[in-house]
Amino acid sequence: MSMPVSTWAIRNPIPPIILFLALTIAGLVAFFQIPVNGMPSVIVPAVSVTISQPGASPSEMETQITRRVEGALAGLHGVKHITSTVSEGVSQTTVEFHLGTDFDRATNDARDAVAGIRDQLPRAVQEPQVRREDAEGGALLIFSAHAPEMRAEELTWFIDDTVTRQLLSVPGVAKVARRGGVTHEITVTLDPLRLSAFGVTAADISRQLAQTSADFPGGRLVQAGTEYSLRALGGTPSVAALRDTWIGLGASRGVRLGDIADVTDGGAEARSITTIDGKPAVTFSVQRAKGASEITTGAAIKAAIAEMHAANPTVTFMELFSLVDFTKTSYDSTISSFVEGAVLTILTVFLFLRDGRATALAALTIPLSIIPTFLVIHLLGFSLNFVSLMAISLVTGVLVDDAIVEIENIHRHMATAKKPYDAAMIAADEIGLAVVATTAVICAVFLPVSFMGGTSGQFFAQFGVTVAVAAFFSLVVARLLTPLIAAYVLKAPAHTGEPAGVWTCRYRRLVEWTLDNRAKTLGVAGFSLALSFALLPHLSTGYLPYEDYSQSSLTIELPRGSTLAQTDAVAQRVAGTLKNHPEVLYVLTNSGGDSGVNVATVDIKLVPPKARDISQRDFESRVLPDLAAEPDARVKFSNSAGAKDISIALTSENVAVLEAAAVGIERDMRGIAGITSVGSTMPAAQPEILIIPDLAKAAQLGVTVQALSDAVTIATIGDIDSNLAKLNRDGRRLSIRSRLAAAPVTSLDTIRELRIPTVSGGSVALAAVADIRLGSGPASIERYDRRRKIAVEANLDGLPLGDAMEKIRDLPSMRALPKEIEVRNTGDVEEMTDLFSRFLTAIGSGLMMVYAIQVLLYKDWIQPLTRMAALPLSIGGAFLALLLTGTDLNMPAAIGILMLMGIADKNSILLVDYMVERIRAGTPRREAIVDACAVRARPIIMTSLAMLAGMAPIALGLGLDTAFRAPMAIAVIGGLISSTALSLVFVPVLFDYVRDFQDWLAPRLQRLL
């Protein structure tokens, strides 16, 4: 079939050259504008709703707030999952929407839904906070700030104000979060005995201060032709003035605030403690916005930090943890692997052709295909990340395939005494259809997978599009530039090719034997195919390969009721144990915080991988037994995402049955080898002091339950922030918090004697209208899709995720779960299940497109099946390579198998295409088959070896970071070896069978017509 485009290019060289000059320049410009990230931008539309009610118990929050919020959000369009976490005083509900949902509209709908139930929520709740989750990934950078000349509250304000404001102005920064430090506020510590003597309550004092120590508008007044605004100025100018503030007691009586309380200017009550190697510290983490470049944003953040240090030399900043360095290392390693692969590919071509000009022509294909690909990547909004760079590095061999086939065919024609110009004209047209078909097949395989959807589909999208675009540009190069340059640059080869002739003769004899023994050959092929799929059950399955970030994270949980000081003491002992290991650089601890004062997190910075003998995971396994020996503490490591490797989510409305099932599964999982740090999220009992009102007495005295709650809340922790009085200082508004003194001054007897206002204007002791007793309740509550949830979690120690899940499903406790309990896939397990489901569907779609394209190109319904014969033959090699190397069948390996679907088919296309051409030219079928095999074996082996050489550095783990890319390279290498070797033997026989079938079918179809 004539392909005049190559002939046109040879005769008109200027337009193709101008085209690729323009594409190259545009591609280079785009390359420097593409963001560089660790992973593709995985967009999970999610909106969070946070509602606070200080002092409220989790059970109370769940009933009065969380359930109502979930009910309002459940009816929104596109809701996938609703997850809620309820702790003391805070209810947080996160709605995850299906991909493709209009994120802006979903956020507005969620805000409207919460506003619609605002009047149904308790009066004491703070204003609901509804926000979209814009930050991407975890903390990009974590810094500590040290300023010996500043007070703790001054340094904290400096971080919250100056540092946060300047960092948020940096392009690409989405969020800055502080840990440690002390919030500056004015504390009014009330004397309970004096309160009782004066008959005034803590709530009275807090509210009087809020109403008097403030400035209020007073309207306007026109006087003598001038309009004046009226203001009532009651704002407290200083702490001394606050002490002299008059507190009304009723009946024209009053008392000075300083006479009944101690007023101090300092920090708020500490609910968390942050240390670095045991020394108090203030840290802050920075998260990047979606779509921002990690390397560019990281550099801008560091520059901003340097500017702040120059402007404030007394403040020293220290970089603690960084994902930027890991991303840059991975980027440099990928580029290095790409260059190494390209060099090996070119060397392979040279060893076959022994022609420097032809080799240079093949080498030119790589940059001319890759650089324009950067332009498309930029226009599509992709980034240079693990996946897109992996596609570029692994597609290196594919890029030269078309050029190799063209050049080899031109060489073959020049060997028959044709001039390079004539040889290029003839050879380019002769091979044109096969080259177009091989590239079309690659695009047909990858493009459907690029749009398979789901979270995992966002990984495949950038990979598939990048490969397809690069393959397309390699086709354009092969059809336009390769014949053009060959026609004007190449010279007739000087070598005679005798060594190749020896192997060619041996291969011809092998093909003739297979044609004489077709049944045996086909039987061997069938056996090989069956053996390939028999390997599948023996493969371990996973989601993502393990990455060594030189950073470990663990959680310490003490029994509920433990104080912040007790938690921090345990955290410091754990940090001391860790510091004894030479792999540890420093340890950052954070005790207390949002998870409760009985929980501490420990972040461990390890020395670089090259400076230690063990991996990050081996280090965690080694130190865990020593850490687990800490009495009355549960110590568990988390993965790089801050979660556990395994999370079995159980949901039910029957709390008792749910807790019993979680205990049984947790017990059984501890007996599985390879699973460590087993625990559950079952809430521990939180010690509580229950205030049970005597409704009859309360009604007689005019005391409401709300008044009881307000009195106790304000007396112990102060009023909500929005109701507190404020003191203006240097442009800041410091909260004035009134509450009773901390223990041991304030005791349970103090609470019993708290004064509660009555309807008559007097007050009564709390114990007179309520029964006060000790009790317990859940410390936290988790909900999933509007049902109670308990997750049984664990980490993996050398056991693949898929194998671990299979063993867990076989546990007796899992098999005997009650009907009212539902097991939900969450986290990596959900993504892994979704990955393989969508992957198989996409592969099926791709194969159908491959068949359809070949039918259109060759106008034949049966022969495309012969060309696709190499596809199943490649899978066995991929499975065997994964099995022999102990590599999991995970996402990168699945991408590699996907890649095989495209590149393995090219061998059959090259063979069958030439067989058909020879038969159409009048050559007998057997002779045509043998001749085609002899002619096309050399370019097939050349292209396969070129691709193997391009991927060898990645598969061998050469470079600083190949953990993510190695499984893909291993799968491709194994599959490519098997498909190349087997297709050269089995495709001729299958073609012969198909031709027999066509010869038998054709006359019968003619009779029917």
Side-chain angles (χ1 to χ4, degrees), residues 627-647:
L627 303 181
E630 185 69 34
D632 297 327
R634 291 194 293 183
V635 180
K636 298 177 289 186
F637 277 99
S638 303
N639 58 25
S640 58
K644 295 299 179 63
D645 295 332
I646 297 176
S647 181

Side-chain angles (χ1 to χ4, degrees), residues 272-287:
S272 67
I273 300 175
T274 301
T275 67
I276 300 176
D277 289 343
K279 299 177 181 178
V282 181
T283 67
F284 57 94
S285 60
V286 188
Q287 290 180 267

Side-chain angles (χ1 to χ4, degrees), residues 349-397:
V349 175
F350 179 76
L351 290 175
F352 272 87
L353 297 180
R354 305 292 179 86
D355 186 332
R357 296 190 179 196
T359 303
L361 178 54
L364 190 62
T365 305
I366 296 177
L368 290 180
S369 301
I370 289 296
I371 294 176
T373 302
F374 291 136
L375 175 62
V376 178
I377 289 176
H378 176 63
L379 294 176
L380 293 177
F382 293 169
S383 64
L384 292 177
N385 50 65
F386 272 151
V387 175
S388 58
L389 287 172
M390 184 166 50
I392 291 173
S393 61
L394 292 184
V395 82
T396 305

